[in-house]
Amino acid sequence: MMTATLAGCIGPRPAPPASVAVVPPPAWRTALGTGAPIRADWWNAFGDPVLAGLVARALANSPDLGSAAARVEEARAAVRLARAQQAPLVSAGVPLTDGQTVSPLGRPSDAIGVQPLVQASYDLDLFGRLRQASAAARAQALASEGARDTVRLAIVSGVATGYITLRSLDQRLRVARDTLAARAEALRIARRRSTTGYTSNLELRQAEGEYHAAEQLVPQAQLLVTRQENALSVLIGDAPGPIARGLPIDRLLAPAIPDGLPADLLRRRPDLFQAEQTLVATDRSLDSARAAMLPGVSLTGSAGVVLSTALANPIGVFSVGGSILSPIFDAGRLRAQADAAAARRDAAAFAYRRTALTAFREVDDSLAGVLRSGQQAIALAAQRAALAGALRNASNRYRAGYSSYIDQLDAQRGLLTAELTLIQAQADRLNAYVTLYQALGGGWSREDVAVTTR
């Protein structure tokens, strides 16, 4: 059985179990899953209405989601076709005969004859070949719905990740501009001190080099922002262009994770549901292939009337019959088809197990990412505060003539590195929440936790 909770994934790892059972419970899609829609507002937990608007546009305009929805409609049409194969087939025809006929007295005469006819045929399906094929089509349709929901979840997660990355790049650009302004001020002071002969030209050249080093950071950050805007625009189904901004990255909310998240939330993952239904479809296809090796019984019948200018009254005709068709020698065709269906069923079973194990790994990684990236962000924030204080002290000592310019330069470099690393850690932490939402199949709510823990 699945582990009871997911909270232990971020603590010390227990010893691995002897085996991992991934067989779905009987009521797989009743309380949670694709049958119950994915929570439609988990991205609002970050507290940014602009992000919510981008997600809505992506869900409305994404060509990938439209293509997945078209495949769902195709699968549903296949279900209707499979059901129609189990119904009787009725056809009608009205052949027209114009030519010489024989009269009741045995003399030839020119006449026009019409014979409307209705024919019906029905396969009794004694061994369930058609029923199993219909069940396979239904399972395949459910698998296509799981694939559509997988695409939907990936689009939402991609938009959220792309927006968080964009806001982190905006913050990097702001830091680059602030650093450039600080280096410009340092260069001004160095030039004044060099002009008055208070310092040598070495400090001036060092200040010029650091200014130009900060200067190249600005266009580099601007390029990254433009590329991220274009990528996000395409993801939401628009032409490349600017993206609206909301909250800065340091004001985006970190959603609260309940203690003891139940592992049954993994049941709502659409990719896991897709793998399960694919397994069901291949199993039903195997049953249908095996039933095709058994005799088939069908009934046929026809009824109609004969109308002719050579006859005084219409003549009614009808026929009823049955047939049994059983393969005697087919050079192993049906056996090969059954073996191929069995191999596909086995491959689907292994794919389902791999998908389930991947789901456990992704949740474990996401929970660890949320915890560790949060710890890293706290440590980096403390480091940044310390280095900012060191820079103030170094700048004051340099202006008072108690220390060299190299001390201030080292403090500036350290603060810049800490600020950029802190921005990346903040983005990594928020993206870890997005990954966790995706790994759990679309987030969680109090109702979800209550349902899965009962």
Side-chain angles (χ1 to χ4, degrees), residues 2 20-24 28-29 143 146-147 150 263 266-279 346-364 438-441:
M2 293 182 178
V20 180
V22 293
V23 178
W28 176 257
R29 307 301 290 179
T150 300
L266 282 135
R267 296 180 176 179
R268 56 195 278 153
R269 282 178 61 114
D271 59 339
L272 202 57
F273 178 63
Q274 178 188 359
E276 178 210 356
Q277 292 303 317
T278 301
L279 175 58
D346 294 342
F350 285 114
Y352 173 73
R353 179 177 176 83
R354 182 179 63 252
T355 303
L357 295 176
T358 301
F360 282 117
R361 179 187 62 82
E362 289 179 351
V363 172
D364 195 346
Q438 186 175 12
L440 290 175

Side-chain angles (χ1 to χ4, degrees), residues 86-451:
Q86 303 177 65
L89 177 62
V90 181
S91 60
V94 185
L96 178 64
T97 302
D98 185 4
Q100 192 178 63
T101 64
V102 179
S103 68
L105 300 178
R107 295 190 301 272
S109 63
D110 293 334
I112 298 178
V114 180
Q115 185 176 343
L117 187 65
V118 177
Q119 295 179 332
S121 61
Y122 178 63
D123 192 333
L124 294 182
D125 194 25
L126 295 180
F127 301 101
R129 175 179 58 85
L130 297 179
R131 291 192 299 273
Q132 295 300 331
S134 178
R138 290 195 300 271
Q140 195 60 47
L142 291 176
S144 67
E145 292 181 4
R148 177 202 59 196
D149 291 343
T150 300
V151 173
R152 179 178 182 270
L153 186 57
I155 290 173
V156 174
S157 301
V159 171
T161 300
Y163 182 76
I164 291 171
T165 302
L166 179 61
R167 298 307 285 144
S168 69
L169 292 175
D170 290 337
Q171 191 78 347
R172 290 175 67 92
L173 179 59
R174 185 192 64 79
V175 170
R177 286 172 173 167
D178 292 344
T179 302
L180 181 60
R183 298 286 171 83
E185 177 63 17
L187 178 58
R188 184 188 66 81
I189 295 174
R191 282 175 177 168
R192 186 183 63 185
R193 292 166 67 94
S194 177
T195 302
T196 59
Y198 191 75
T199 59
S200 65
N201 288 333
L202 175 61
E203 291 186 0
L204 176 60
R205 299 308 177 192
Q206 288 175 331
E208 290 177 347
E210 290 302 315
Y211 172 80
H212 292 300
E215 187 179 28
Q216 61 89 23
L217 292 177
V218 174
Q220 180 186 28
Q222 290 173 333
L223 175 61
L224 294 176
V225 168
T226 301
R227 288 177 174 175
Q228 186 62 28
E229 283 183 322
N230 293 339
L232 193 54
S233 297
V234 173
L235 186 59
I236 64 177
D238 292 342
I243 295 294
R245 305 297 203 273
L247 298 176
I249 190 170
D250 54 355
R251 292 182 56 193
L252 292 176
L253 302 179
I257 302 177
D259 293 332
L261 268 178
D264 284 348
L265 286 174
L266 282 135
R267 296 180 176 179
R268 56 195 278 153
R269 282 178 61 114
D271 59 339
L272 202 57
F273 178 63
Q274 178 188 359
E276 178 210 356
Q277 292 303 317
T278 301
L279 175 58
V280 173
T282 55
D283 193 55
R284 296 295 181 266
S285 297
L286 174 59
D287 293 339
S288 179
R290 288 173 174 170
M293 303 172 66
L294 302 174
V297 180
S298 62
L299 300 177
T300 59
S302 63
V305 294
V306 177
L307 304 174
S308 176
T309 57
L311 300 175
N313 297 310
I315 298 176
V317 295
F318 70 91
S319 67
V320 177
S323 63
I324 300 177
L325 180 63
S326 178
I328 297 177
F329 177 75
D330 64 352
R333 293 181 180 88
L334 296 178
R335 172 61 63 183
Q337 292 175 1
D339 292 343
R344 287 192 293 269
R345 191 271 313 273
D346 294 342
F350 285 114
Y352 173 73
R353 179 177 176 83
R354 182 179 63 252
T355 303
L357 295 176
T358 301
F360 282 117
R361 179 187 62 82
E362 289 179 351
V363 172
D364 195 346
D365 292 345
S366 300
L367 286 171
V370 169
L371 177 66
R372 306 309 176 194
S373 60
Q375 294 173 343
Q376 182 186 17
I378 293 174
L380 285 170
Q383 181 190 19
R384 181 195 175 280
L387 290 174
L391 177 59
R392 287 192 298 269
N393 294 335
S395 298
N396 293 334
R397 290 175 59 85
Y398 171 66
R399 290 188 179 94
Y402 291 112
S403 63
S404 64
Y405 178 69
I406 194 65
D407 294 335
Q408 179 181 349
L409 189 58
D410 288 341
Q412 288 178 340
R413 291 172 178 172
L415 180 59
L416 175 61
T417 301
E419 287 182 334
L420 296 179
T421 307
L422 175 59
I423 293 171
Q424 187 61 49
Q426 291 172 341
D428 291 343
R429 185 189 182 198
L430 293 174
N431 285 329
Y433 280 102
V434 175
T435 304
L436 180 59
Y437 277 122
Q438 186 175 12
L440 290 175
W444 59 87
S445 66
R446 294 183 182 273
E447 293 77 11
D448 296 335
V449 175
V451 167

